[in-house]
């Protein structure tokens, strides 16, 4: 659906993208910020910009899966708890 990058000069230092189901649901994927640029709000700003883009595309929901140590980050970005299923492959 879309992607957002963070740049320092001409260097890509952060990235996030969203995939879409063709309807009202989008999925946040691959959020990453170079360790040298973490702790400066870059990740939060990437997610905020992605939310704007996904909303503008007409989606009503943005889903994200994350590891437990990232829960604080995603809660701070506005994501709530949800019950979901997971199948280990």
């Amino acid at each position: 659906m879309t992607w957002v990058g963070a740049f320092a000069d001409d260097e890509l230092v952060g990235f996030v993208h969203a995939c879409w189901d063709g309807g009202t649901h989008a999925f946040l994927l691959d959020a990453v910020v170079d360790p040298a640029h973490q702790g400066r709000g870059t990740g939060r700003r990437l997610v905020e910009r992605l939310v704007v883009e996904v909303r503008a595309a007409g989606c009503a929901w943005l889903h994200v899966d994350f590891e437990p140590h990232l829960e604080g980050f995603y809660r701070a970005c506005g994501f709530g708890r949800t019950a979901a299923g997971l199948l280990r492959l």
Side-chain angles (χ1 to χ4, degrees):
M1 163 180 262
T2 192
W3 65 274
V4 179
F7 296 85
D9 298 317
D10 290 332
E11 180 183 0
L12 180 67
V13 298
F15 177 84
V16 64
H17 78 273
C19 292
W20 174 50
D21 69 355
T24 62
H25 295 259
F27 306 87
L28 185 154
L29 299 168
D30 302 328
V32 63
V33 174
D34 183 288
H37 293 270
Q38 292 177 357
R40 303 177 190 177
T42 303
R44 181 184 44 78
R45 287 190 302 275
L46 284 167
V47 172
E48 288 172 352
R49 182 62 191 180
L50 188 76
V51 167
V52 169
E53 297 290 326
V54 169
R55 187 178 286 129
C59 290
W61 299 98
L62 180 59
H63 304 261
V64 65
D65 291 326
F66 51 82
E67 295 180 17
H69 71 279
L70 295 172
E71 182 172 0
F73 170 76
Y74 284 106
R75 297 286 175 252
C77 289
F79 287 87
R81 293 185 182 267
T82 182
L86 178 66
L87 175 64
R88 184 176 189 97
L89 302 175

